């Protein structure tokens, strides 16, 4: 933290989010795979998830989320000089979805790149962009977490398809008065767990072929039990590390905005950290696991419900494929 004072403070000045209109309920899933509303609710806390229509793609969700964030920041698209999209479900393998968003927004002065850190992607992007602004490379940045997981979900695999949903969240980052904004960030990765959560084909290791499609290898595969254990452990560690780096403790936290993967993971982390449950943002019931979108979706909901106040200490924490994890502490 000592070196941070040499740089201007960077904060999150607005948030916006969007989820597709189409909703898939647990009862809809009961008709698709061998599952039940009761199993899904008790094991994951999920009741519904929003999913893209066949003709829709990830950037179609980003546009409304981004426009809302820009409007709330009173910024025009032309004033943006950077757009970063965290996603594992880009519109296309090439080009970056951020470039598509840049064009569709009319943000002609913005550089654009994507970040692939799965469900931790939004935290990774925040960490990178706040440093890029603090060091004077950019002034006004749009940071997006967005995923259309339904497009890579195997609806014959009951262990994954009941969990996943689609959505997008966007925030505007810029310089803020000293003492506000980001106080610390912390990122981690463990690539030895890469196979615990992956899409086996469609990359250079196993390019798309008739065989890979027949084997359903373009869909997400997950070892749920192993990811669960990892998640509870790193959620606690990431929050504690981010707070320690900011010189603060769990008592100082007004709101934790965690990645929404499973209500039991959030409960477990809340207990381990001793942060009362009413200080956690939680909307998994309505959206399921939306990967990189889940933290900004939950943050947007907390903001709209008036749960975030000026001066509040907000901690965002995520974990996911890679394996990756990260947390960010900021003064609202
Ligand atoms: O975004 C980050 C990545 N994802 C996560 O963080 C997910 C982490 N993992 C989890 O959330 C949980 O491990 C799951 C929700 C995926 C699974 O819950 P679980 O309590 O760990 O269940 P399990 O995998 O141990 O399975 C228990 C039983 C099994 O049956 P048997 O072998 O006991 O007869 C499964 O076959 O539940 C069965 N099962 C289901 N039953 C009904 C698995 N999925 C379903 C289902 N409906 N959808």
């Amino acid at each position: 933290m000592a070196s941070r004072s040499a740089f201007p403070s960077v904060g999150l000045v607005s948030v916006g989010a969007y989820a597709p209109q189409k909703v898939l309920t647990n009862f809809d899933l009961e008709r698709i795979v061998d599952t039940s509303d009761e199993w899904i609710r008790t094991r994951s806390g999920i009741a519904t998830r929003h999913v893209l229509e066949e003709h829709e793609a990830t950037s179609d969700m980003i546009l409304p989320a981004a426009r809302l964030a820009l409007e709330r920041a009173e910024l025009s698209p032309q004033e943006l000089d950077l757009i970063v999209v965290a996603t594992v479900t880009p519109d296309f393998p090439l080009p970056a979805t951020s470039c598509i968003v840049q064009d569709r927004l009319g943000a002609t002065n913005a550089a654009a790149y994507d970040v692939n850190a799965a469900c931790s992607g939004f935290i990774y992007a925040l960490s990178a962009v706040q440093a890029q602004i603090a060091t004077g490379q950019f002034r006004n940045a749009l940071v997006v977490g967005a995923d259309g997981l339904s497009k890579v979900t195997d609806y014959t695999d009951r262990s994954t398809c009941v969990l996943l949903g689609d959505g997008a969240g966007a925030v505007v980052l810029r310089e803020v008065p000293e003492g506000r904004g980001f106080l610390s960030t912390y990122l981690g990765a463990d690539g030895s767990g890469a196979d615990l959560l992956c899409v086996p084909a469609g990359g250079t290791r196993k390019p798309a072929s008739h065989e890979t499609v027949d084997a359903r290898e373009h869909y997400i595969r997950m070892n749920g039990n192993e990811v669960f254990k990892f998640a509870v452990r790193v959620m606690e560690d990431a929050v504690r590390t981010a707070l320690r780096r900011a010189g603060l403790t769990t008592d100082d936290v007004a709101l934790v905005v965690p990645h929404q993967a499973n209500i039991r993971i959030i409960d477990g982390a809340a207990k381990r950290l001793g942060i009362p449950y009413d200080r956690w943002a939680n909307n998994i019931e309505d959206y399921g696991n939306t990967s990189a979108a889940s933290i900004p979706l939950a943050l947007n909901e907390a903001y709209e419900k008036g749960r975030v106040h000026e001066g509040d200490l907000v901690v965002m924490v995520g974990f996911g494929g890679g394996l990756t994890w990260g947390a960010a502490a900021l003064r609202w």
Side-chain angles (χ1 to χ4, degrees), residues 110-179:
Y113 65 87
D114 284 7
V115 167
N116 178 335
C119 308
S120 315
F122 184 69
I123 303 290
Y124 266 68
L126 287 180
S127 175
V129 173
Q130 69 89 19
Q132 287 182 300
I133 295 175
T135 52
Q137 298 171 65
F138 298 99
R139 286 171 61 84
N140 299 317
L142 184 76
V143 176
V144 175
D147 268 305
L149 292 182
S150 67
K151 300 279 183 170
V152 290
T153 294
D154 184 348
Y155 284 98
T156 66
D157 175 6
R158 68 176 183 176
S159 69
T160 55
C161 75
V162 300
L163 304 173
L164 310 176
D166 303 338
V171 294
V172 170
L173 261 59
R174 57 185 306 182
E175 200 178 316
V176 293
E178 208 184 321

Side-chain angles (χ1 to χ4, degrees), residues 29 33-40 42-46 118-120 149 157-164 196-197 222-232 259-265 284 289-292 294 319-321 323:
L29 287 164
V33 284
D34 179 15
T35 191
S36 66
D37 173 58
E38 207 256 327
W39 191 96
I40 302 170
T42 53
R43 298 296 181 111
S44 71
I46 301 166
C119 308
S120 315
L149 292 182
D157 175 6
R158 68 176 183 176
S159 69
T160 55
C161 75
V162 300
L163 304 173
L164 310 176
L196 296 178
L197 182 43
M222 179 172 69
N223 179 332
N225 288 317
E226 288 303 315
V227 175
F228 191 101
K229 283 184 255 169
F230 148 77
V232 179
H259 170 48
Q260 313 278 314
N262 188 318
I263 194 67
R264 293 184 294 137
I265 294 176
I284 190 168
N289 180 348
T290 57
S291 187
S294 88
F319 60 88
L323 300 168

